[in-house]
Amino acid sequence: MNDNRIMNLAANNIRILAASMVEKAKSGHPGGAMGGADFINTLYSEFLVYDPKDPAWAGRDRFFLDPGHMAPMLYSQLALIDKFTLEDLKNLRQWGSVTPGHPEREIERGIENTSGPLGQGHCFAVGAAIAAKFLAARTGNPSFAKETIYAYISDGGVQEEISQGSGRIAGTLGLDNLIMFYDANDIQLSTETKDVTIEDTAKKYEAWGWFVQKIDGNDVDQIREAICKAQAEKERPSLIIGHCVMGKGARKADGSSYEHNCATHGAPLGGDAYVNTVKNLGGNPEEPFVIFPEVKEMYAKRAAELEGIVAARKGEEKAWADANPECAAKVCEWFSGKAPQIDWSKVEQKAGAATRGASATVLGVLAEQVPNMICASADLSNSDKTDGFLKKTHALTRGDFSGAFFQAGVAELTMACCCIGMALHGGVIPACGTFFVFSDYMKPAVRMAALMELPVKFIWTHDAFRVGEDGPTHEPVEQEAQIRLMEKLKNHHGKNSVLVVRPADAEETTVCWRMAMENVDTPTALIFSRQNIEMLPAGNDYSQAEKGAYVVAGSDEDYDVILLASGSEVSTLEAGADLLRKDGIKVRVVSVPSEGLFRSQPKEYQQSVLPAGKKKFGLTAGLPVTLEGLVGADGCVWGLESFGFSAPYKVLDEKLGYTGQNVYEQVKKLLA
Ligand SMILES: Cc1ncc(C[n+]2csc(CCOP(=O)(O)OP(=O)(O)O)c2C)c(N)n1
Ligand SMILES: [Mg+2]
């Protein structure tokens, strides 16, 4: 335990740095950061276990920040442990700086997650806590059982609906390795919190099965005691509600208090207010970017302490590894980020199956061969066919994490963000399934997974209006176009930020899953049909799906027209092609499981598959725009431009023109 005088000095140091960063940048959020300084300082100086020399150590505690706008607090704290320089802090929010406006994941610098969209961080932490328990159960490595996942949340995140999902899941699964600190400062961006909510947050979390403590969030003794009690809790996740003072220590230009004021949420304190604040906190406004010597000393002492703590943990790990060399080697492999070794010859597809069924076949093999994979479903496992995986394992439950299936309940965004959290933790390959139409509930998570370059697998079934009897609410139309926009968006490494695949039949499904498992650099979206699909012509070389688009076997030389599609529409094109050939028209059929991937191929290949100037006809059960980019001025696209209708799918196919006959008619018109 450190001297409280120095602890308060360190917290003030963080406040000064945070306020100064924002002041210098002329933009940012000082108030929340100043309020939370006592908690983060206490956590890092006395509790958080990490290896200063080995930031990516798999057994480290994790700290997830949800309110990314409190970046100045995190950067300042990390400057106290030498992860950022004072120069870095001075460059907050500037071009090319390592201190962007909201933190972006960078393990080397101690940033575990990208944050900004409030609430998702709750689930990232829950997912990481699940991963730690899963890895502990699966491997016996003692570090995973000792790891604690800390999360820092705020009023905004608690109001976000996703907090309900994280609260429910963590309570249900009894995640006692999760400790959330709620910075309850009663202030948010434009109002006081009481203007928008009268809820009793403590009771709410208690009802979800959490251990809840309420403390003065600016009192180091109370923070310490609360963390100790939370660590001692052996059944429930912990919520520490810290009543913090927004803008703690801030002073206005006239010297009066600037605490508990919305104005400090998202703007520099400004001029004399800033000067008065720094002085009030014991700093020098002429030279605010300093770390006080006593604070430096305290953190040097902590670094030395950590050496001992980490050495002891790593010693236990070594004893375990010596006794379990094979398992230890596997764990290393899991954390390497490399794609798993899979014997794909074990996948035996049934001809003519729905691609969701084909996906289930693959998932069954993955469940057997990929011991660090966790598959999830939002209460649809028997429909989205993730039950192919479930049948080979069992669900994760409170007190028993020996299974590998995560029953997320009806909560798609929660599920997706928990999977992201698992990926952030590392060592685990997460996949999650639901109906494609409900991908709408998951977009914010997909975007974050894409930005963080996490290889989460999103499984979306019931890919088109052929869920007809359920009616328009359940019929995806514009969803494929939306997710394919993410394929066009490049990540920080200049790669397509998401790989989106929609296979044409059961065999192409296997190849698409292989691509998904081999894609360790970005998320993958897999889009599957509900209904059975005729196989592509015999002799088709499915491995070509890896190029994103390819010429299907049986295509004619010297063709008159190219027919292109993804998913089940390819087989509809084949039916149309048969009719066209009877009329003497020569046809090339192109399957395009991924436009984004296709556009990443050499120009010559793209040109060889879809030569410019050749007549083209695209067929999509989505919006025409899904294929218009590939067809261009060379033809037309038959797509859907309404929400859909309620009727059996074969009726819809007829009424909406998804038949070989309509393909024939439309192509005849195009060629006329
Ligand atoms: C999903 C989402 N919606 C809106 C915002 C914009 N926003 C950033 S901070 C904030 C208010 C947050 O209040 P609180 O969490 O209490 O932070 P404090 O004001 O205490 O710093 C809002 C609305 C956001 N970042 N994410
Ligand atoms: Mg607040």
Side-chain angles (χ1 to χ4, degrees):
M1 253 176 35
N2 298 300
D3 180 342
N4 280 3
R5 184 184 63 81
I6 301 175
M7 290 291 272
N8 292 333
L9 185 68
N12 279 344
N13 207 156
I14 292 172
R15 291 190 243 278
I16 294 167
L17 291 172
S20 302
M21 291 169 79
V22 174
E23 201 67 21
K24 184 153 192 310
K26 300 195 178 72
S27 85
H29 305 78
M34 295 174 76
D38 298 286
F39 175 78
I40 200 164
N41 172 60
T42 306
L43 182 68
Y44 275 75
S45 62
E46 297 185 359
F47 292 94
L48 194 76
V49 174
Y50 63 96
D51 185 348
K53 297 197 185 85
D54 179 12
W57 170 41
R60 69 189 182 277
D61 289 347
R62 269 66 167 178
F63 175 74
F64 291 98
L65 179 72
D66 180 54
H69 68 276
M70 295 194 194
M73 175 183 80
L74 183 59
Y75 296 146
S76 301
Q77 175 61 58
L78 293 173
L80 300 188
I81 61 166
D82 296 327
K83 299 280 188 190
F84 286 88
T85 66
L86 295 172
E87 267 321 293
D88 294 334
L89 302 192
K90 288 179 194 167
N91 282 314
L92 176 73
R93 297 177 159 240
Q94 304 312 306
W95 174 262
S97 79
V98 293
T99 44
H102 290 75
E104 296 194 39
R105 182 187 197 218
E106 206 185 344
I107 304 301
E108 296 297 307
R109 290 184 183 277
I111 297 184
E112 298 281 356
N113 64 299
T114 298
S115 50
L118 287 162
Q120 291 196 42
H122 297 218
C123 278
F124 297 166
V126 169
I130 292 172
K133 289 220 173 248
F134 168 84
L135 289 165
R138 201 138 281 226
T139 69
N141 178 337
S143 277
F144 296 133
K146 290 194 172 166
E147 226 179 84
T148 304
I149 310 299
Y150 296 94
Y152 187 108
I153 66 173
S154 62
D155 299 309
V158 170
Q159 286 159 30
E160 284 291 347
E161 293 86 346
I162 191 174
S163 68
Q164 134 101 24
S166 62
R168 174 179 56 80
I169 296 282
T172 303
L173 291 179
L175 300 178
D176 56 9
N177 55 346
L178 174 66
I179 300 177
M180 273 195 189
F181 177 78
Y182 168 22
D183 172 356
N185 61 19
D186 300 333
I187 298 279
Q188 48 200 81
L189 193 151
S190 50
T191 66
E192 291 197 28
T193 302
K194 68 173 163 46
D195 297 341
V196 297
T197 178
I198 58 159
E199 81 173 12
D200 184 330
T201 305
K203 281 192 184 146
K204 184 173 78 174
Y205 276 80
E206 274 162 5
W208 284 327
W210 288 57
F211 169 46
V212 180
Q213 305 177 70
K214 293 188 219 173
I215 61 166
D216 174 344
N218 296 116
D219 182 308
V220 60
D221 280 328
Q222 292 190 35
I223 294 169
R224 240 187 226 128
E225 197 189 327
I227 298 177
C228 286
K229 281 192 188 155
Q231 285 182 339
E233 167 61 39
K234 288 291 165 255
E235 288 190 358
R236 297 169 291 176
S238 275
L239 181 72
I240 301 171
I241 302 181
H243 294 288
C244 297
V245 176
M246 179 78 160
K248 173 93 176 148
R251 292 290 174 268
K252 290 188 180 155
D254 65 6
S256 65
S257 170
Y258 202 1
E259 292 179 341
H260 196 79
N261 192 317
C262 282
T264 71
H265 163 87
L269 299 174
D272 288 344
Y274 167 72
V275 170
N276 289 341
T277 298
V278 174
K279 280 188 191 156
N280 183 47
L281 293 167
N284 175 3
E286 302 298 315
E287 204 193 342
F289 287 97
V290 294
I291 298 174
F292 299 138
E294 285 169 297
V295 175
K296 248 189 201 150
E297 205 181 297
M298 178 175 86
Y299 274 98
K301 203 181 92 216
R302 176 62 180 169
E305 233 167 49
L306 278 172
E307 248 178 65
I309 295 169
V310 171
R313 289 256 184 114
K314 289 194 171 174
E316 291 168 5
E317 275 180 23
K318 176 149 190 327
W320 163 82
D322 289 345
N324 304 277
E326 268 178 39
C327 186
K330 268 197 223 156
V331 172
C332 273
E333 189 76 17
W334 298 349
F335 276 87
S336 72
K338 279 188 243 147
Q341 295 290 323
I342 294 162
D343 177 2
W344 291 96
S345 71
K346 291 281 185 290
V347 177
E348 283 177 39
Q349 294 293 7
K350 238 182 36 224
T355 52
R356 67 173 165 149
S359 169
T361 303
V362 174
L363 282 167
V365 170
L366 296 179
E368 282 168 347
Q369 294 192 26
V370 188
N372 63 326
M373 185 161 173
I374 296 180
C375 189
S377 178
D379 198 31
L380 281 170
S381 58
N382 32 357
S383 291
D384 63 30
K385 290 294 166 195
T386 51
D387 63 0
F389 193 93
L390 177 57
K391 282 174 190 156
K392 301 282 174 66
T393 179
H394 51 275
L396 303 163
T397 55
R398 184 187 195 84
D400 179 7
F401 287 77
S402 61
F405 198 88
F406 170 42
Q407 292 286 16
V410 191
E412 296 75 16
L413 179 60
T414 292
M415 171 176 72
C417 288
C418 285
C419 286
I420 290 175
M422 294 176 202
L424 286 171
H425 180 281
V428 169
I429 301 172
C432 57
T434 186
F435 289 164
F436 192 27
V437 78
F438 302 135
S439 65
D440 285 355
Y441 278 30
M442 302 166 77
K443 298 264 166 46
V446 176
R447 186 171 196 273
M448 290 295 274
L451 180 57
M452 289 190 270
E453 303 178 14
L454 299 171
V456 178
K457 323 297 174 208
F458 297 101
I459 303 164
W460 288 316
T461 66
H462 299 61
D463 64 352
F465 63 80
R466 298 180 188 91
V467 293
E469 288 99 331
D470 278 336
T473 58
H474 281 53
E475 294 174 51
V477 178
E478 76 286 15
Q479 279 69 18
E480 188 177 348
Q482 289 186 48
I483 196 68
R484 291 210 182 277
L485 283 178
M486 295 298 296
E487 269 192 319
K488 293 181 194 286
L489 183 64
K490 301 285 182 277
N491 63 25
H492 285 328
H493 285 94
K495 290 194 174 167
N496 298 352
S497 69
V498 179
L499 170 66
V500 181
V501 286
R502 182 167 177 251
D505 69 8
E507 289 298 339
E508 204 178 276
T509 298
T510 307
V511 179
C512 285
W513 256 116
R514 191 172 76 211
M515 288 153 62
M517 294 305 285
E518 285 170 2
N519 176 20
V520 294
D521 298 326
T522 77
T524 303
L526 298 129
I527 305 169
F528 298 126
S529 75
R530 173 204 193 195
Q531 83 285 8
N532 292 346
I533 305 178
E534 291 278 316
M535 301 305 284
L536 298 185
N540 190 50
D541 175 6
Y542 288 99
S543 69
Q544 296 179 92
E546 289 181 2
K547 294 181 178 156
Y550 65 98
V551 178
V552 172
S555 289
D556 302 313
E557 298 289 324
D558 298 327
Y559 50 90
D560 304 301
V561 63
I562 302 175
L563 313 184
L564 63 143
S566 71
S568 64
E569 286 88 271
V570 183
S571 73
T572 310
L573 290 179
E574 286 291 351
D578 288 347
L579 299 175
L580 289 164
R581 285 181 184 122
K582 284 184 187 147
D583 265 14
I585 295 166
K586 292 189 174 159
V587 179
R588 163 179 276 192
V589 176
V590 172
S591 174
V592 194
S594 166
E595 179 188 349
L597 190 57
F598 178 62
R599 289 184 184 276
S600 311
Q601 304 305 315
K603 281 275 168 298
E604 306 76 66
Y605 178 74
Q606 295 184 41
Q607 187 60 25
S608 74
V609 176
L610 295 176
K614 281 282 189 181
K615 288 274 186 226
K616 299 186 180 84
F617 174 77
L619 181 68
T620 172
L623 280 175
V625 72
T626 313
L627 288 178
E628 275 166 359
L630 291 171
V631 170
D634 294 332
C636 62
V637 177
W638 186 267
L640 197 57
E641 288 179 300
S642 76
F643 285 106
F645 306 89
S646 178
Y649 84 85
K650 293 210 163 151
V651 175
L652 289 181
D653 270 338
E654 289 292 333
K655 300 277 184 199
L656 299 172
Y658 290 83
T659 58
Q661 182 60 33
N662 188 47
V663 170
Y664 168 83
E665 285 164 21
Q666 297 306 320
V667 172
K668 289 288 275 191
K669 258 193 239 166
L670 177 67
L671 297 180

